Amino acid sequence: MYLSKSFIPILKNNPSEAKIKSHQLMLRVGMIKQSSAGIYSWLPLGFKVMKKIEQIVREEQNRIGVQEILMPTIQSSEIWKESGRYEDYGEEMLRIKDRQNREMLYGPTNEELVTDIFRASVKSYKSLPQLLYHIQWKFRDEVRPRFGIMRGREFYMKDAYSFDISDEEAFFSYNKFFLSYLRTFKRLDLTAIPMAADTGPIGGNLSHEFIILADTGESKIFTDKRIFELDSDGTNVDKEALKDLRKKYEKFYAVTDEKFNEKEFEEKVSQENRLITKGIEVGHIFYFGDKYSKPMGASVDLPGGKKDFVKMGSYGIGVSRLVGAIIEAKYDEKSEIMKWPISVAPYEVSIIPMINKNDQSALEKAVNISKELMVNNIVSIIDDTEENFSSKMRKMNLIGSPFQIIIGKQTDADLVEFKETGNEAKKIKLEEAIKIIKEQKVSN
Ligand code: ATP
Ligand code: MG
């Protein structure tokens, strides 16, 4: 891709309306454009990142055996009346009337709809567990939409739902998602901590929020620092291993402010391990038993001939919010350098040839390098403009490819100036550079 032909509308300066760095960068580098309060269009750069995040989320859901479906954004009010949430949800729900004057709504979440789908066809315990997910736009008419896509009104979410025969089986499903979330955030190069949380309007009693640290986050957290050293590597998807994994995390105090208890915090965490800070909620999992299955009549036949309501959980990841969360974690706003994790980078390499009217040889070289990269499955963008070097670097640093290749006049035939974005450049052979990039891709 040539920068001159790309739709990446970069601004010279930070837009004044943006208060936090992710919102600043996203507007500055043209990842999104606001269409109305809390509602955005996604431009090519932002869209590429979001789609890559979505794909990682999808792969990690599939890996634990969750089946993908797609439910609509517009729902009928009937099922929400059955569950009792039509009134409870209040003004956050966008209510719409169709031409027959039927009450419809733009889904803020999908517990009712998925329960309706489930009850229509699953009748026996033999079909359980059922784990279903979709990745779809949601609408919540937030009181204060802000920070760009971090708290939008329309946002993109992965939401999954589990249906089980007993509490014990349901906890197993819950723990599978617990592991899957740790794996997902790790692939996004984020440290997300599971914290005991309140269940809010979704209801229920067991719940964890997955939070990444950031000063600009809206969740206040109280935690034992040692939780950051834990890892889920090597955990199998079997009942006992997953129980142990959750125990390993739950051993450390880690809560958001709704669950905070000062006395408990001081008793359980020694002074030197206490951390009180802020974070961004990127995922939230809930177990709520028969909260929806009972009022909506979603039951199955049990082995002995009796019937019972299925035990359900729900599991959300803020896919669009993650774009902002990654920027909050990775963008150095002082030096104005962004470096995307290679797993979600819009381009893996930025190629920066020094070009002027009389000498296009560096551009030719850039095109050849880009082709060579493509053969190796590496996606690059070339700055083919005739701007000066520092202005080119400034733009590419904002675009944030994890690697940069600079082609100056003196660059000799088979060496390139190669750098990890933000680090020093070194002169190496292109094959070596390709090797380094490939190694990072594999380990991610
Ligand atoms: P919050 O506490 O941030 O308002 P929530 O607890 O209401 O979020 P959930 O119902 O748990 O949200 O939704 C699952 C996930 O969807 C959240 O963990 C978050 O990542 C994302 N999300 C929720 N609301 C928004 C929003 N307004 N804009 C962007 N992402 C959101
Ligand atoms: Mg939540």
Side-chain angles (χ1 to χ4, degrees):
M1 171 59 84
Y2 290 117
L3 187 62
S4 68
K5 302 288 186 295
S6 68
F7 198 94
I8 305 179
I10 299 185
L11 305 173
K12 272 228 154 55
N13 297 304
N14 274 328
S16 57
E17 73 261 37
K19 301 278 177 285
I20 64 170
K21 62 183 177 178
S22 57
H23 192 196
Q24 284 165 6
L25 183 73
M26 291 184 82
L27 292 179
R28 177 94 183 268
V29 79
M31 296 177 75
I32 48 170
K33 182 179 182 310
Q34 183 173 318
S35 96
S36 55
I39 303 180
Y40 292 84
S41 297
W42 290 77
L43 307 185
L45 201 63
F47 191 62
K48 273 191 210 309
V49 175
M50 187 166 69
K51 284 284 148 182
K52 286 195 161 180
I53 295 172
E54 176 185 350
Q55 186 53 24
I56 289 176
V57 169
R58 173 176 288 118
E59 284 167 16
E60 292 301 331
Q61 295 294 290
N62 295 345
R63 196 169 156 197
I64 56 160
V66 199
Q67 304 166 78
E68 186 168 14
I69 60 175
L70 182 60
M71 292 177 268
T73 53
I74 307 289
Q75 303 180 22
S76 156
S77 63
E78 298 302 318
I79 46 177
W80 288 75
K81 286 177 182 161
E82 279 188 57
S83 74
R85 275 209 294 184
Y86 195 56
E87 297 308 320
D88 293 355
Y89 224 93
E91 299 211 290
E92 267 199 16
M93 182 185 276
L94 180 66
R95 294 154 207 259
I96 310 162
K97 282 215 172 120
D98 71 7
R99 65 203 300 169
Q100 323 286 1
N101 224 23
R102 275 185 295 243
E103 291 173 322
M104 311 293 284
L105 57 100
Y106 195 118
T109 178
N110 283 55
E111 282 78 9
E112 284 80 359
L113 193 50
V114 79
T115 304
D116 182 50
I117 293 169
F118 176 91
R119 70 180 171 186
S121 33
V122 181
K123 304 289 179 201
S124 162
Y125 75 95
K126 288 181 189 152
S127 309
L128 300 187
Q130 282 296 331
L131 308 178
L132 301 172
Y133 77 101
H134 77 158
I135 304 176
Q136 177 64 292
W137 293 95
K138 304 290 183 292
F139 194 95
R140 294 182 188 172
D141 204 351
E142 300 271 357
V143 197
R144 285 182 68 201
R146 57 190 174 143
F147 302 150
I149 49 77
M150 290 286 238
R151 181 166 300 283
R153 292 199 296 164
E154 188 184 47
F155 59 97
Y156 204 41
M157 196 212 278
K158 185 284 298 180
D159 39 325
Y161 303 87
S162 62
F163 302 85
D164 280 284
I165 189 175
S166 63
D167 278 340
E168 200 204 336
E169 290 299 316
F171 292 145
F172 179 37
S173 293
Y174 186 93
N175 292 346
K176 276 189 203 164
F177 283 98
F178 190 95
L179 170 65
S180 164
Y181 277 33
L182 292 171
R183 285 173 172 168
T184 304
F185 298 125
K186 191 162 185 199
R187 282 183 68 188
L188 300 174
D189 205 17
L190 292 173
T191 308
I193 299 300
M195 307 211 169
D198 247 12
T199 49
I202 309 275
N205 41 32
L206 170 63
S207 173
H208 286 88
E209 284 179 358
F210 287 75
I211 306 252
I212 66 162
L213 298 189
D215 295 338
T216 47
E218 294 186 273
S219 308
K220 196 164 184 205
I221 59 178
F222 303 83
T223 175
D224 186 322
K225 274 181 201 157
R226 290 172 296 173
I227 201 167
F228 290 95
E229 287 149 28
L230 299 179
D231 205 334
S232 61
D233 278 359
T235 307
N236 294 323
V237 188
D238 73 50
K239 268 192 187 145
E240 292 311 311
L242 290 177
K243 250 188 223 164
D244 290 344
L245 176 72
R246 226 180 80 203
K247 272 197 204 126
K248 197 167 92 175
Y249 276 87
E250 285 175 339
K251 216 171 77 195
F252 295 109
Y253 192 85
V255 300
T256 55
D257 49 359
E258 297 116 345
K259 283 239 160 170
F260 177 61
N261 177 312
E262 196 167 346
K263 201 165 151 249
E264 203 185 353
F265 188 46
E266 284 168 7
E267 269 167 25
K268 287 191 176 161
V269 190
S270 64
Q271 191 125 28
E272 72 271 18
N273 288 326
R274 282 178 212 157
L275 177 68
I276 302 178
T277 183
K278 284 185 172 163
I280 301 166
E281 179 191 325
V282 286
H284 198 166
I285 61 180
F286 304 85
Y287 175 60
F288 44 74
D290 60 9
K291 183 171 193 283
Y292 299 92
S293 56
K294 200 168 172 184
M296 294 186 68
S299 59
V300 291
D301 297 327
L302 300 180
K306 280 195 192 155
K307 268 175 173 299
D308 199 6
F309 300 113
V310 286
K311 313 284 189 194
M312 292 174 60
S314 75
Y315 314 87
I317 290 184
V319 176
S320 51
R321 179 179 284 180
L322 271 167
V323 180
I326 293 174
I327 299 174
E328 290 297 324
K330 308 289 177 193
Y331 179 43
D332 178 352
E333 89 251 62
K334 291 222 171 61
S335 56
E336 299 197 340
I337 296 177
M338 176 62 195
K339 186 178 174 205
W340 289 101
I342 199 154
S343 56
V344 300
Y347 300 99
E348 289 151 336
V349 182
S350 288
I351 307 177
I352 305 150
M354 296 321 304
I355 312 169
N356 63 48
K357 280 194 187 61
N358 312 317
D359 184 4
Q360 298 279 319
S361 61
L363 180 58
E364 271 165 43
K365 193 163 177 192
V367 173
N368 289 333
I369 288 175
S370 161
K371 283 183 187 152
E372 191 56 35
L373 292 173
M374 208 191 310
V375 171
N376 285 281
N377 262 325
I378 298 167
V379 182
S380 64
I381 180 165
I382 303 173
D383 186 345
D384 57 330
T385 67
E386 288 173 10
E387 286 182 30
N388 65 43
F389 182 68
S390 62
S391 142
K392 284 185 159 181
M393 284 307 293
R394 216 173 311 135
K395 280 190 186 169
M396 284 307 192
N397 283 339
L398 290 171
I399 289 174
S401 309
F403 296 100
Q404 298 173 332
I405 291 178
I406 298 154
I407 307 168
K409 284 202 187 64
Q410 302 93 314
T411 310
D412 20 21
D414 61 339
L415 292 182
V416 293
E417 254 181 82
F418 177 72
K419 62 186 208 152
E420 267 198 55
T421 300
N423 293 1
E424 290 298 304
K426 52 185 173 188
K427 282 198 175 163
I428 57 174
K429 287 210 164 102
L430 183 60
E431 301 113 69
E432 268 178 78
I434 289 174
K435 207 172 137 225
I436 295 172
I437 300 165
K438 278 186 163 169
E439 273 167 11
Q440 220 183 83
K441 279 179 86 157
V442 175
S443 72
N444 210 278

